Amino acid sequence: MTAIDARALPFAHVLPLSASLSAEGHLALGGLDTVALAAEYGTPLYVFDAATLKAQCRAYLDGFRAADPSSQVLYASKAFLNRPFARFIAQQGLGFDVVSGGEIEVLRAAGVDLATAYFHGNNKTPAELHLAAEAGVGCVVIDNLGEVALVEEAAAAAGRTQRVMIRVSPGIDGHTHEKTTTGILDSKFGLPIVTGAAEEAVRLILASPHLEFRGPHMHLGSPIFETDPYVLATELLAEFIADVCIGKLGAEVSDWSPGGGFAVAYRGEDEAPAIAAYARATVGVMQREADARGFSMPRTSVEPGRSIVGRAGVALYTVGARKDVPGIRTFVSVDGGMADNIRPAMYGSRYEALSAERPLASPEETVSIAGKYCESGDILIKDAHVPRFHQGEVVAIPTAGAYQLAMASNYNLAYRPAVVMVEDGAARLMRRRETAADLMAMDID
Amino acid sequence: MTAIDARALPFAHVLPLSASLSAEGHLALGGLDTVALAAEYGTPLYVFDAATLKAQCRAYLDGFRAADPSSQVLYASKAFLNRPFARFIAQQGLGFDVVSGGEIEVLRAAGVDLATAYFHGNNKTPAELHLAAEAGVGCVVIDNLGEVALVEEAAAAAGRTQRVMIRVSPGIDGHTHEKTTTGILDSKFGLPIVTGAAEEAVRLILASPHLEFRGPHMHLGSPIFETDPYVLATELLAEFIADVCIGKLGAEVSDWSPGGGFAVAYRGEDEAPAIAAYARATVGVMQREADARGFSMPRTSVEPGRSIVGRAGVALYTVGARKDVPGIRTFVSVDGGMADNIRPAMYGSRYEALSAERPLASPEETVSIAGKYCESGDILIKDAHVPRFHQGEVVAIPTAGAYQLAMASNYNLAYRPAVVMVEDGAARLMRRRETAADLMAMDID
């Protein structure tokens, strides 16, 4: 490694913490040359930086425990999960927010203590609820009135008492993308407070012999770059706890959760609030409200996903075709695209790109970085300011850790990418690249 | 089966041709009760109707061969492909439009004659081009200038002459979704005629010892509900053939293709043009232009995908949670969603829904049919006019054959659905449902 300060790298604040320059002047992650990683594992390749993951887990634990020492940090598995990754996250002291039977099965296969798992979802199936009860999932977050009876039935069948929270819909707009805002009333998620549905759910839970009510949960959407929506929603939750749960129904409230949705910078100019700011807007407000309203501060659980894993991941691609349409646009195509990262096509998400071979090279032109899939919408970055990439050059797209592999498809019968974790000069293959045999494994002739 | 005329079913013109009522009054496909299929294979379940597939393949062969007896019909594999399905399509007399090494491998595993395959894509990798040459892919459709040398090199390495076409960009707007329009100049696809790039490509091909130039190809996007864009683009292609390929460069032009993009009705009120209308707007126009300009009519290849497979597929789901937000919206959740069908979230695609148990039931309310995945955008149908579905009811969403399973993901670690083909009272499992073990097959501890 050369002695260059990593902060001198372009886009340093969206690259993983371990980003540096290799002896060859290439982008290095975890002390490893990314061009060499691309040569060894092929592209598209997803590289996760253990140092960034550990630092983010630690920052959440410290940031929220400074505000509430009993705080739990639950990793939102839907951002990215596989078996070795689950084990890694558990080793950092985090629990899990899970949303399906598949996520529960992966945690179980990873040997994770399922008591640390909170099960979410607007339509958990009876089979999934039975699996959760049998596997010992710590808490089920009930999302609608009909679910109370389903969870009671599953808990009774498993012969256990199931801890439950309720997800309330506070009626707050998180000011994020229409497709990912969830705190508003017009949402498939959660029990509205204003309609009385949340109160009715608590009443039903208290009357269910195998359910133990723990408290309310909310989630405003993702990513949320402002803290005001958390303040407003936490105030509403505190009022609900004081007036309805405790005051009206006589329930004990031992837990609460402001959910997740914490933002992360994707581009050079993005600024995401600090974890301490999120903690103040949630735990701080709940503490103040608890004091003012005279109830005991419940334990806080938060559910970061994107903000744990987003920045830790970098996608590496190899440049292929170049197409110049004079006066209109230049397209530079890479060997991945919407099959491994559907976010630009789906949400209009914006990214940066830099050369892994020449990370310090200055921008020379404005091009669109296109994927290789047969669809015009398969453009990874529109109007990227980049050096003139040559055919075969390895390009890095930072902030690739969240909701890319998680939503990856085999569109065009693409093989989903290999994934490596890097740390202190060592790479560990965490997921191998798919093969044609994998694509056909479910086919029956 | 009862004697009811299938046309009496609601949404009859978007359901498969074999749709009827079972003895129990349920929706039947291929003579099989869909409620029984859902019970046997579980939900979400994708059912493909062999009769519709056969009829559509036949209609394309007949419709285009009536206009040009030498016409080839190539199935656009990206709409949906697996091993048994490839074999089925080949048995109907169609060739294949393929866009990746993965699709080539599946055709090869299915025992399909790869001479019937045309290889497309804006960024075919060198590895894919070598695979195509070695596997004997019939024609490579060159998309950009740099690709000429790559195809020449792959053909030389395989010791064969490779037939090639060029994909030209005619500069015509197909008036479809921004993400799926491809005929305009501002597209990653194709060699523009107006900039001289298409001409240069032909010149380079003619100078390449292992390449045999066959003619031009275009593709306007998908789905295209009008025929005028085809007429205009075909006229431009004819001019290019006459003036540039033949007149200026002295090339022989044995083949041409207007691509695909032919529309299909997704909802009750949709009207897609007849195949004969598409044939008139393409083959008819090319024939007229060939006569007028004095060149021999080249052989036509068309590439329907959506219009072969879209209507043949029906997705079956089981109803779960119901959430009423008084005065705002009612959400009825099913056990699938954006993981198996991302089209509503991605393109705003609209669908119909009917009860598989009570297909003749009249609409009673307006609800949103929500998926089960943890994202607000996971709504399959906004404002569906439907009977009041009960928990556990099997719901059918027609026109599910194209670009749903093809783009399916394991988001939320969902298991991708099972797929059955039905015909004459028999069901054949064509793809089994994924399991937790499948999800972890690539994981390395």
Side-chain angles (χ1 to χ4, degrees):
Chain A
M1 300 298 121
T2 62
I4 183 177
D5 185 333
R7 283 169 298 181
L9 282 168
F11 319 125
H13 90 285
V14 298
L15 279 165
L17 297 180
S18 76
S20 65
L21 284 184
S22 73
E24 290 76 16
H26 300 164
L27 174 67
L29 297 172
L32 292 170
D33 186 307
T34 55
V35 178
L37 287 171
E40 180 172 357
Y41 296 101
T43 55
L45 179 68
Y46 277 68
V47 182
F48 283 86
D49 176 46
T52 304
L53 291 166
K54 287 178 176 176
Q56 283 301 97
C57 291
R58 176 50 47 202
Y60 268 100
L61 288 168
D62 291 349
F64 276 87
R65 287 184 179 168
D68 167 8
S70 69
S71 290
Q72 295 189 116
V73 180
L74 310 174
Y75 171 66
S77 308
K78 64 180 179 290
F80 171 69
L81 191 75
N82 79 341
R83 196 173 53 210
F85 192 78
R87 208 173 283 131
F88 178 92
I89 290 292
Q91 283 161 357
Q92 309 314 313
L94 271 58
F96 293 86
D97 149 11
V98 297
V99 297
S100 73
E103 291 185 353
I104 293 169
E105 292 287 13
V106 168
L107 293 186
R108 188 148 73 160
V112 166
D113 176 9
L114 283 163
T116 70
Y118 284 59
F119 187 17
H120 290 270
N122 67 300
N123 187 29
K124 309 170 191 83
T125 65
E128 288 176 319
L129 290 169
H130 280 275
L131 170 66
E134 173 241 314
V137 164
C139 187
V140 175
V141 183
I142 288 177
D143 203 274
N144 57 72
L145 290 172
E147 203 169 274
V148 179
L150 295 177
V151 181
E152 164 66 20
E153 184 190 308
R160 61 182 285 230
T161 297
Q162 178 67 61
R163 292 180 173 182
V164 298
M165 297 179 78
I166 60 165
R167 173 160 173 177
V168 304
S169 175
I172 297 287
D173 188 345
H175 297 157
T176 182
H177 194 290
E178 189 197 348
K179 289 171 186 162
T180 54
T181 187
T182 61
I184 57 173
L185 286 181
D186 186 2
S187 165
K188 67 176 185 172
F189 294 107
L191 294 144
I193 294 176
V194 292
T195 65
E199 175 180 337
E200 177 63 12
V202 179
R203 200 186 306 273
L204 289 171
I205 291 165
L206 295 175
S208 300
H210 296 86
L211 303 185
E212 179 187 336
F213 179 67
R214 305 289 288 186
H217 172 283
M218 67 180 189
H219 183 67
L220 302 179
S222 173
I224 300 179
F225 280 88
E226 305 165 38
T227 55
D228 282 357
Y230 288 101
V231 172
L232 292 172
T234 300
E235 286 169 354
L236 288 172
L237 235 61
E239 184 185 348
F240 175 73
I241 289 171
D243 294 356
V244 178
C245 298
I246 300 173
K248 199 160 171 187
L249 303 173
E252 281 184 55
V253 176
S254 59
D255 288 82
W256 84 290
S257 175
F262 311 123
V264 57
Y266 278 89
R267 305 183 73 199
E269 66 267 33
D270 291 347
E271 289 282 355
I275 291 171
Y278 285 122
R280 274 195 304 276
T282 55
V283 180
V285 172
M286 183 57 79
Q287 183 69 65
R288 184 191 74 205
E289 293 289 315
D291 293 345
R293 295 170 184 275
F295 62 85
S296 303
M297 174 69 188
R299 180 176 63 166
T300 305
S301 299
V302 290
E303 298 162 345
R306 187 192 311 272
S307 54
I308 295 283
V309 75
R311 184 178 173 182
V314 173
L316 299 177
Y317 301 100
T318 301
V319 171
R322 179 186 179 92
K323 175 181 171 182
D324 291 296
V325 190
I328 294 187
R329 189 183 301 278
T330 293
F331 294 89
V332 173
S333 295
V334 297
D335 58 354
M338 67 188 287
D340 64 275
N341 182 9
I342 205 165
R343 299 187 67 258
M346 178 97 165
Y347 310 111
S349 305
R350 300 298 311 262
Y351 289 85
E352 305 281 9
L354 69 162
S355 167
E357 294 179 27
R358 304 173 287 149
L360 303 180
S362 299
E364 293 167 286
E365 58 179 2
T366 299
V367 304
S368 284
I369 311 283
K372 79 182 292 292
Y373 302 107
C374 269
E375 189 147 330
S376 286
D378 180 30
I379 302 291
L380 285 173
I381 309 177
K382 212 171 175 173
D383 300 330
H385 308 293
V386 290
R388 190 177 164 110
F389 296 137
H390 61 79
Q391 205 171 19
E393 186 159 5
V394 177
V395 166
I397 296 190
T399 332
Y403 298 104
Q404 295 187 198
L405 295 170
M407 304 183 81
S409 74
N410 295 118
Y411 190 39
N412 287 197
L413 298 194
Y415 307 133
R416 285 178 290 186
V419 186
V420 296
M421 176 96 82
V422 295
E423 183 169 29
D424 295 337
R428 195 163 69 77
L429 186 63
M430 196 162 57
R431 173 175 283 169
R432 65 167 175 78
R433 187 177 307 282
E434 279 182 324
T435 65
D438 293 322
L439 292 193
M440 293 183 265
M442 275 67 69
D443 291 355
I444 296 176
D445 293 306
Chain B
M1 300 299 122
T2 61
I4 183 177
D5 185 333
R7 283 169 298 181
L9 282 168
F11 318 125
H13 89 286
V14 297
L15 279 166
L17 298 180
S18 76
S20 64
L21 284 184
S22 73
E24 291 76 16
H26 300 164
L27 174 67
L29 297 172
L32 292 170
D33 185 309
T34 55
V35 177
L37 287 171
E40 180 172 356
Y41 296 101
T43 55
L45 179 68
Y46 277 67
V47 182
F48 283 85
D49 176 46
T52 305
L53 292 166
K54 288 178 177 175
Q56 284 301 96
C57 291
R58 176 50 47 200
Y60 268 100
L61 289 169
D62 290 350
F64 277 87
R65 288 185 178 166
D68 167 8
S70 68
S71 290
Q72 295 189 115
V73 180
L74 309 174
Y75 171 66
S77 308
K78 65 180 179 289
F80 171 70
L81 191 75
N82 80 341
R83 197 173 51 210
F85 192 77
R87 209 173 281 130
F88 178 92
I89 291 291
Q91 283 162 357
Q92 310 314 312
L94 271 58
F96 293 85
D97 149 12
V98 298
V99 296
S100 74
E103 291 185 354
I104 293 170
E105 292 287 13
V106 168
L107 293 187
R108 188 149 73 162
V112 167
D113 176 10
L114 282 163
T116 70
Y118 283 59
F119 187 16
H120 290 270
N122 66 302
N123 187 30
K124 308 169 191 84
T125 65
E128 288 176 319
L129 290 170
H130 280 275
L131 170 66
E134 174 242 312
V137 163
C139 186
V140 175
V141 183
I142 288 178
D143 203 274
N144 56 72
L145 289 172
E147 202 169 272
V148 179
L150 296 177
V151 182
E152 165 65 20
E153 185 189 308
R160 60 180 288 229
T161 298
Q162 179 67 62
R163 292 181 172 181
V164 298
M165 298 178 78
I166 60 164
R167 173 160 173 175
V168 304
S169 174
I172 297 289
D173 187 345
H175 298 156
T176 181
H177 194 288
E178 190 198 347
K179 289 171 187 164
T180 54
T181 187
T182 61
I184 56 172
L185 286 181
D186 186 4
S187 165
K188 67 176 184 171
F189 294 107
L191 295 145
I193 295 176
V194 292
T195 66
E199 175 180 335
E200 177 63 12
V202 178
R203 200 186 305 273
L204 291 170
I205 291 165
L206 295 175
S208 300
H210 295 86
L211 303 185
E212 178 187 335
F213 179 67
R214 303 290 288 186
H217 172 282
M218 66 181 191
H219 183 67
L220 301 178
S222 173
I224 300 179
F225 280 89
E226 306 165 37
T227 54
D228 282 357
Y230 288 101
V231 172
L232 293 171
T234 301
E235 287 168 354
L236 287 172
L237 235 61
E239 183 185 350
F240 175 72
I241 291 172
D243 295 357
V244 178
C245 298
I246 300 173
K248 199 160 172 186
L249 303 173
E252 282 184 54
V253 175
S254 59
D255 288 81
W256 84 289
S257 175
F262 312 123
V264 57
Y266 279 89
R267 306 183 70 200
E269 68 268 32
D270 290 347
E271 289 282 356
I275 291 171
Y278 285 121
R280 273 194 303 276
T282 56
V283 180
V285 172
M286 183 58 78
Q287 184 70 65
R288 185 191 73 205
E289 293 289 316
D291 292 346
R293 295 169 183 275
F295 63 83
S296 302
M297 174 69 188
R299 180 177 62 166
T300 306
S301 298
V302 289
E303 298 161 345
R306 188 193 309 273
S307 54
I308 295 284
V309 74
R311 184 178 174 183
V314 173
L316 299 178
Y317 300 101
T318 301
V319 172
R322 180 186 180 92
K323 175 180 170 182
D324 291 296
V325 191
I328 294 186
R329 189 182 301 278
T330 293
F331 295 87
V332 173
S333 295
V334 297
D335 58 354
M338 66 188 288
D340 64 275
N341 182 10
I342 205 164
R343 299 186 69 258
M346 179 96 164
Y347 310 110
S349 305
R350 302 297 311 262
Y351 289 84
E352 306 281 9
L354 69 162
S355 168
E357 295 179 26
R358 304 174 288 150
L360 303 179
S362 299
E364 294 167 286
E365 59 180 3
T366 299
V367 304
S368 285
I369 310 284
K372 79 182 291 290
Y373 303 106
C374 269
E375 189 147 329
S376 287
D378 180 29
I379 302 291
L380 285 172
I381 310 176
K382 212 170 174 174
D383 300 330
H385 308 293
V386 290
R388 190 177 163 111
F389 295 138
H390 61 80
Q391 205 171 18
E393 186 159 6
V394 177
V395 166
I397 297 189
T399 332
Y403 298 104
Q404 295 186 199
L405 294 170
M407 304 183 81
S409 74
N410 295 119
Y411 190 40
N412 287 195
L413 298 195
Y415 308 132
R416 284 177 291 185
V419 185
V420 296
M421 175 97 81
V422 294
E423 184 170 30
D424 295 337
R428 195 162 69 77
L429 186 64
M430 197 162 58
R431 173 174 283 169
R432 65 168 174 79
R433 187 177 306 283
E434 279 183 325
T435 64
D438 294 321
L439 293 193
M440 293 183 265
M442 275 67 68
D443 291 355
I444 296 174
D445 293 307

